[in-house]
Amino acid sequence: MLHKHVDAEEVVKHAEQASSSRRLRTPSNIHSLAYGSRYATQEIPKFTLPDQSTEAAAVYQLIHDELELDGRPNMNLASFVHTWMEPEADKLIMENIGKNLADQDEYPATMKIHARCISIIGNLWKSKGAVGTATIGSSEAVQLGGLAMKKHWQAKRKSEGKDTSKPNIVMGQNAQVALEKFARYFDVECRMIPVSAESHHCLDPKKAAEACDENTIGVYVILGSTYTGHFEDVEAMSKELDRIQQEKGWDIPIHVDAASGGFVAPFAFPDLRWSFELPRVKSINASGHKYGLAYPGIGWILWRNEESLPKELVFTLTYLGSEEQTYTLNFSRPACFMIGQYYNFVRLGKEGYTSVIQNDLDNARVLSLSLEESGYFDLVSDMHRAKGVFGHEQKKEGQDTKEEIAEYNPALPVVVFKLNDEFKRANPHVRQSAISTLLRTRGWIVPNYALPPHEDQVEILRVVVRESLSQDLVDTVVADIIWAAETLAKSEHRLDVEILCRKEDPVADAQKLKMESGNKGAYGRQC
């Protein structure tokens, strides 16, 4: 997250000049008790180091209290990031929190665990010869995957005596912002394919194929769209690229962004062909801190074999007495979260992961069906529908009960919904975004946002179902969503949600970078 240095005195001087502030800010005695410290009635240092030290208990309590203003992680239904691990995992993480994953010679046992994780994930993704590394998350991993594709493309073009100045990469407009970052940061033309309801709000393989040419370094295919949870069709994209190679000779690889789906598909949809069993898939990334069920700070990227990772990207260096090979954007990084991932692998195994993921999917389907049955909402996500049935417009009788569906659409346990036309006609004063705002009063964080460009006239609400959202909590969130809709419907006037959400914060505004007029940045959203 980027922030700009601010002149603290300039930003807050208007607050300090207020009469109430002058009356309250009187000198106080310093005590060792947390609430008796000098910061109990004085300003906490925010932008410069204080001149004096403070008791540890007081500092802890003050920062702890300020962080209590954050949302509760368990009720944050906006994020894919995992928020809970077992006490034994917490203990293991804290025991190793000071270890640096870059210090390979100093922590040989940690390096062995890293190697085991690569083998476990490679086997999960159906490759016996995979090579890979832990990363801070999928955002770093997709940069590494894209850069490897670019270097392969450059090497091939140079060997043929062809121009290498105009590389491009293809992805859907539903791509997460990290994929766009790769194109912008590494000077690659980003060819974003419009998505639509017909393409299930994600990449259309045929349209993606039409955008490819001899300068295409690869195609990003997303196994689990952050917008709607749909899996893009990796096998269909692979077949389109096979056809292009036969017709035109362009050998275009696939990188699968399986940030969320990489630890869902192997357990919930084992017959789905999306990973290294497809020869055109050269690299895959996943976030261990999403459905890998670890805490934030661990991601993975694997290449199908050594040949898929250009040797020029691998650094062999001597560091603190050992020779090590590395290909990452970060160097020093915590080892404890990688160790936490290994704990999950050993603790859960295939049986445990399958149980957790299946529970997530079951709870998401219950939530989906409950919202549909309320009569207020249309479901944009399709994970609760029979395989091959997409879109709320195509809903058929007999397909809305769990028992009658033998096989579901492969997707993430993500529930995406919007107010239906009937509700909007009966209640034209209700803004859908106000539902998100009212749910905040009950503690739930449920985002309301627009679909990708070309569909951005449609706003959606999204709930990410994680392990911590039990069936009992699903019942509660359904009741609260319906309560919010009915409360707004009963109100006589439009609720100005923008006023309710507006927060005057001159310090936060001052820390933002100035952008050129009309520059809205990337389309992608972080999730």
Side-chain angles (χ1 to χ4, degrees):
M1 183 65 67
L2 287 173
H3 286 110
K4 186 175 68 174
H5 170 76
V6 299
D7 185 338
E9 295 180 359
E10 181 66 26
V11 171
V12 301
K13 70 179 182 180
H14 69 280
E16 294 176 347
Q17 292 169 352
S19 59
S20 60
S21 177
R22 287 198 300 272
R23 286 197 304 271
L24 291 173
R25 292 185 182 179
T26 56
S28 60
N29 296 321
I30 299 177
H31 303 283
S32 60
L33 297 176
Y35 292 111
S37 76
R38 68 178 184 272
Y39 294 135
T41 55
Q42 295 181 21
E43 187 74 12
I44 299 175
K46 294 183 176 71
F47 308 106
T48 59
L49 279 174
D51 294 328
Q52 298 175 320
S53 300
T54 304
E55 291 287 341
V59 174
Y60 165 80
Q61 193 65 53
L62 289 165
I63 297 175
H64 168 85
D65 290 349
E66 185 170 359
L67 291 174
E68 285 288 287
L69 299 175
D70 280 340
R72 295 182 60 186
N74 193 45
M75 299 182 77
N76 178 7
L77 306 185
S79 177
F80 288 89
V81 176
H82 199 62
T83 58
W84 177 86
M85 294 185 74
E86 293 176 319
E88 292 80 4
D90 291 345
K91 182 180 179 181
L92 197 59
I93 287 169
M94 292 308 300
E95 289 173 352
N96 293 276
I97 199 165
K99 289 185 179 179
N100 186 352
L101 194 56
D103 294 346
Q104 297 186 24
D105 188 57
E106 285 69 24
Y107 305 121
T110 299
M111 293 305 108
K112 290 180 181 179
I113 288 177
H114 179 274
R116 293 172 196 167
C117 287
I118 296 299
S119 294
I120 289 170
I121 298 170
N123 185 62
L124 199 63
W125 293 345
K126 302 180 181 178
S127 173
K128 298 298 183 182
V131 296
T133 182
T135 62
I136 292 296
S138 283
S139 293
E140 178 188 3
V142 295
Q143 314 302 312
L144 301 177
L147 191 55
M149 292 192 294
K150 181 181 179 182
K151 291 296 183 182
H152 264 304
W153 174 81
Q154 286 176 328
K156 187 173 186 298
R157 298 281 290 180
K158 287 178 181 178
S159 68
E160 297 170 348
K162 296 179 179 178
D163 177 57
T164 62
S165 65
K166 298 178 180 179
N168 69 72
I169 191 165
V170 175
M171 67 188 80
Q173 282 189 330
N174 60 308
Q176 202 260 7
V177 68
L179 281 65
E180 290 186 69
K181 283 183 177 180
F182 163 73
R184 186 177 297 186
Y185 293 171
F186 291 99
D187 296 322
V188 176
E189 178 193 351
C190 186
R191 295 186 175 179
M192 303 195 77
I193 310 304
V195 300
S196 64
E198 289 70 29
S199 67
H200 318 313
H201 314 286
C202 52
L203 184 68
D204 184 324
K206 292 189 179 298
K207 291 182 179 179
E210 293 171 0
C212 294
D213 60 25
E214 62 180 348
N215 292 317
T216 301
I217 67 171
V219 179
Y220 276 139
V221 185
I222 304 170
L223 198 75
S225 171
T226 58
Y227 282 92
T228 60
H230 289 91
F231 285 177
E232 293 182 344
D233 195 334
V234 183
E235 185 174 22
M237 188 72 252
S238 178
K239 290 178 179 178
E240 286 295 323
L241 295 176
D242 288 344
R243 176 185 59 79
I244 286 176
Q245 185 172 10
Q246 289 180 345
E247 295 176 358
K248 301 182 179 181
W250 305 333
D251 186 7
I252 301 172
I254 289 174
H255 173 90
V256 179
D257 174 21
S260 294
F263 288 110
V264 172
F267 305 109
F269 310 102
D271 297 328
L272 185 68
R273 289 170 55 83
W274 66 274
S275 57
F276 290 127
E277 72 269 38
L278 300 174
R280 199 159 291 278
V281 174
K282 302 300 182 184
S283 53
I284 303 171
N285 70 271
S287 295
H289 55 234
K290 292 179 181 173
Y291 289 101
L293 309 181
Y295 285 134
I298 181 64
W300 302 96
I301 180 166
L302 272 66
W303 289 266
R304 68 179 304 112
N305 49 38
E306 289 189 46
E307 292 72 29
S308 299
L309 177 58
K311 295 298 186 292
E312 64 186 289
L313 293 175
V314 179
F315 281 81
T316 301
L317 62 149
T318 301
Y319 179 67
L320 299 179
S322 69
E323 186 178 90
E324 55 192 62
Q325 293 180 317
T326 178
Y327 174 42
T328 59
L329 297 181
N330 294 289
F331 190 66
S332 293
R333 57 197 190 279
C336 60
F337 301 116
M338 182 275 296
I339 294 170
Q341 179 78 87
Y342 183 63
Y343 170 89
N344 279 343
F345 288 159
V346 176
R347 166 74 174 89
L348 295 173
K350 291 181 179 179
E351 177 187 27
Y353 268 103
T354 301
S355 177
V356 170
I357 299 302
Q358 195 58 59
N359 285 343
D360 290 347
L361 288 165
D362 287 345
N363 286 337
R365 288 167 185 144
V366 170
L367 176 56
S368 299
L369 295 171
S370 299
L371 292 174
E372 275 190 335
E373 290 172 3
S374 73
Y376 300 153
F377 302 101
D378 285 331
L379 270 291
V380 179
S381 51
D382 293 302
M383 55 82 57
H384 65 299
R385 297 189 172 101
K387 186 175 182 180
V389 176
F390 297 96
H392 60 87
E393 298 90 348
Q394 302 176 31
K395 180 182 174 184
K396 300 176 182 178
E397 292 185 7
Q399 292 181 332
D400 59 348
T401 57
K402 176 181 173 182
E403 292 75 19
E404 295 180 5
I405 297 178
E407 190 173 3
Y408 292 93
N409 284 318
L412 300 177
V414 173
V415 180
V416 180
F417 56 103
K418 63 185 181 71
L419 290 171
N420 61 30
D421 292 339
E422 292 81 359
F423 184 94
K424 289 189 286 188
R425 280 194 297 268
N427 306 282
H429 62 288
V430 174
R431 292 186 181 183
Q432 183 172 286
S433 53
I435 293 177
S436 177
T437 302
L438 276 189
L439 287 172
R440 283 270 189 166
T441 68
R442 296 285 177 96
W444 302 110
I445 302 175
V446 178
N448 180 85
Y449 59 97
L451 284 172
H454 294 87
E455 288 192 294
D456 52 6
Q457 74 282 1
V458 178
E459 290 188 345
I460 53 176
L461 293 153
R462 187 189 73 187
V463 170
V464 178
V465 177
R466 303 190 305 273
E467 182 183 12
S468 55
L469 191 68
S470 64
Q471 179 64 70
D472 183 60
L473 289 178
V474 168
D475 294 343
T476 302
V477 75
V478 168
D480 285 345
I481 291 171
I482 293 173
W483 161 81
E486 291 180 344
T487 298
L488 292 167
K490 292 175 184 176
S491 64
E492 296 181 1
H493 305 288
R494 178 187 294 271
L495 179 62
D496 194 339
V497 70
E498 294 180 0
I499 293 177
L500 287 177
C501 293
R502 188 178 301 148
K503 293 182 179 180
E504 299 295 339
D505 191 339
V507 176
D509 291 341
Q511 289 174 326
K512 294 179 180 178
L513 277 63
K514 293 181 179 179
M515 302 294 289
E516 294 180 7
S517 178
N519 181 6
K520 297 182 179 179
Y523 284 128
R525 287 173 168 80
Q526 58 182 16
C527 297

